[in-house]
Amino acid sequence: MEDRLSEILSPYKGKQDALIPILQKVQEEIGYLPAEAMQEIARTTGLPQSRVYAVATFYAQFYFTRRGRHQSKICTGTACHVKGAARIMDTFERELGIACGETSEDYEHSLETVACVGSCALAPVVVVDEEVYGQVDSSKMSKIFDDFKETEKED
Amino acid sequence: MIQITSPPQMAKIMEQCQAALARQKVRFLVCAGTGCVAGGSLDVYDEFKRLIEEKGISVDVELLYEGQKSDAGIGIGGCHGFCQMGPLVRVEPKETFYTKVKVADVEEIVTATIDKDTVVERLLYQNPDGSRSVTEHEVPFYSTQQRIVLGKCGVINPEDIREYFAAEGYQALAHVLQDLTREQVIDIVTRSGLRGRGGAGFPAGRKWQSCLQATGSPKYIVCNGDEGDPGAFMDRSVLEGDPLAVIEGMTIAGYSVGASYGYIYVRAEYPLAVKRLHKAIAQARQSQLLGDNIMGTGFNFDLKIFQGAGAFVCGESTALTLSIEGKRGMPRVAPRPRTTEIGLWDKPTVLNNVKSFAYVPDIIRKGADWFKAIGTETSSGTAVFALTGNITNSGLIEVPMGTTFREIIFNLGGGIPDGEKFKAVQTGGPSGGCLPESLLDLPIDFDSLDEAGAIMGSGGMVIMDERTCMVDVARYFLDFTVIESCGQCVPCRLGTKQLLEVLEDICAGKGRKEDLDLLYELSHAVHAASICGLGQTAANPVLTTLRYFKEEYEAHIFDKCCPAKVCKALISFVISEDRCKGCGICAKHCPVSAITGEKKQVHVIDQSLCIQCGVCMEKCPKKFRAVDCVSPRIKAAVPETMETT
Ligand SMILES: Cc1cc2nc3c(=O)[nH]c(=O)nc-3n(C[C@H](O)[C@H](O)[C@H](O)COP(=O)(O)O)c2cc1C
Ligand code: SF4
Ligand code: SF4
Ligand code: SF4
Ligand code: FES
Ligand code: FES
């Protein structure tokens, strides 16, 4: 992890203004922001750790715990809300056995909301592992859950 | 790559690019916006490529620019705003407009177009009367639109700057650099009456003027592409479909206020827009349209993209600039300096919305009077809306300011689907409001919406039918605001939370008579004592629903009834003894096994187990429709003593 971090951070030495892009880059590479990464970011930029945490915790994009292999995001933007996003969330919670905002113990799944991905004309929308699913109904959900089971079997 | 070394050269470049594109006999433009990509448009694109190449035709566009003719070509386009019918394919030059194109349809389109010169009837848009529309202009959804900002979206390939040149791109900047002083540019923008499209409608010319006069250097141009309204995607489509219009507009702004650096702030959730912008910026630099010595005139201007990190409040201008500086995005405390004087890095800054910048090249090219003539007295130009919710045609529309809701909803939008009735239209997102049927004939502009208690916002327009609960909608928006409040003002942080709790109680059937007054009181306090727009407008969804849909609040509070049958605590699902045929499907799907019944016998729901998920109603075969949803709740068959707890 240490080598990896110093490699990611090497272009940012002393660049305090670039804090948010740095956090984004580290999360993109590692999947979340572990404590040691936060320390390393503080060291590289020369910012106090409190400042690094203050900024990172302000923004919804950053995670401080490990995420699941599959990340399901249920759009709860207005268009999707009107088209029944709450029921879709209920179904995901039931099927995955985790509540919104949680990661399963085996790190297979994370479930959360997203406030609009800009595909509102296809509402209701779900984003699974960066792929956008539009006009989601019970049969599309079944297919998503079946695909999850497929990848489990492959291991 | 084409190099522009002097402004007069631009006209010739345009002609060359137009000629190159005309060397292609036909062109298939596959929509590659976020919506159509979700529908599989990239596979459709690959299939076009494969089939055309199979015919021995090269799809290499470079050959066109070298003067060679070609029988067919392909390209990608940005969002047409009709993602619901996607993936969309446009065939030029006839502008044939195909909807819901699947990989399996491609061969038929290719054969019909190239070999037979006909169209594939079944993939054309079907009008409500059953006839088919051949081109986009014939489709009712587009027929009365006036597309300016969206004009090139879907029509040009946003990843090839030469197509932007062919569509008169950069003619405006050439004119500005060659013929106009800073003051003249600002004068045109001022006289056009362009008001900012980010929500508040502040006159753009006045903002630029104030930045021009501000002392301090360097100056910055910032484009607000945060698009925080959850349920709107106008800015996403413009950034994806016509990124260079925004870049050209920002460059012109830079020239007119004397700024040589700019930032485009893009929402974290828009990866495709970021990708397109990166490409557009790189190509503009190569063509000497960004960077040093633009068009050989000695004017320098360059741009950087900043990706947001997911905070709605960062759409507010002072928070946005702090966020670019790598800080927490908390709006600056009053007395707030004007961004035009003390903005990014404490320097004079022009901060405008994506669309505000995108209008500028057209305004410069066609003149202030042209723009001023469109729209209403106080709001010139067009309005772009993301029309969504319970509406037949959902998508992006652009209409002259002053168009009525009725025109948009019932003409362009095709009315309310599933035989339902219109109930409310919501504009302005979490800062806006819900307007009722009686206001359908209101001509929409910045001022009329303000008066009605809603706001224009950046352009979200969500249509709600009788199945939408207005108390739940107010609760929904407050839930959003509570999460997104940055927390530095107590009235916003705690007041919105209080409002939310009252609304949650009402939805849960625990509303009290005093709650209505409490809602008013809290709303006014939050409005009066918050420092930024988020808090100041947070109560709008509550106030407008109270103003126009009070009886719905009263039904919840006094009758414990949710007329729209949305609030779970106030509804029950029941199986009709007359209609149930005992097929057992509902019981099989009920997640909590609350339904019992013998085969071919009437089934029954145990109300004490039921979690109101609605699955039984959805699954009961259409021909039986035996499950009803009722409100108020029916009494569960439980002993009296338990009921009172
Ligand atoms: C909480 C809040 C969120 C905002 N979100 C946005 C946004 O997403 N996009 C936007 O252009 N303006 C947004 N604004 C308005 C901006 O503060 C600013 O007025 C606008 O970007 C200026 O550009 P314009 O003059 O071109 O409209 C927001 C304002 C507030 C208070
Ligand atoms: S009104 Fe709300 S969002 Fe705005 S600064 Fe105050 S606490 Fe933050
Ligand atoms: S509403 Fe859901 S929980 Fe209740 S009976 Fe129907 S399927 Fe079962
Ligand atoms: S699905 Fe409908 S018809 Fe079949 S048992 Fe259930 S309520 Fe009766
Ligand atoms: S509201 Fe769900 S994608 Fe916009
Ligand atoms: S993404 Fe294709 S029409 Fe919107």
Side-chain angles (χ1 to χ4, degrees), chain B residues 358-377:
Chain B
Y359 276 112
V360 171
D362 274 341
I363 292 175
I364 299 289
R365 239 168 3 89
K366 299 185 182 171
D369 295 335
W370 161 79
F371 195 72
K372 185 88 192 127
I374 305 165
T376 63
E377 189 60 36

Side-chain angles (χ1 to χ4, degrees), chain B residues 29-43:
Chain B
L29 212 55
V30 180
C31 180
T34 301
C36 288
V37 169
S41 73
L42 295 181
D43 294 335

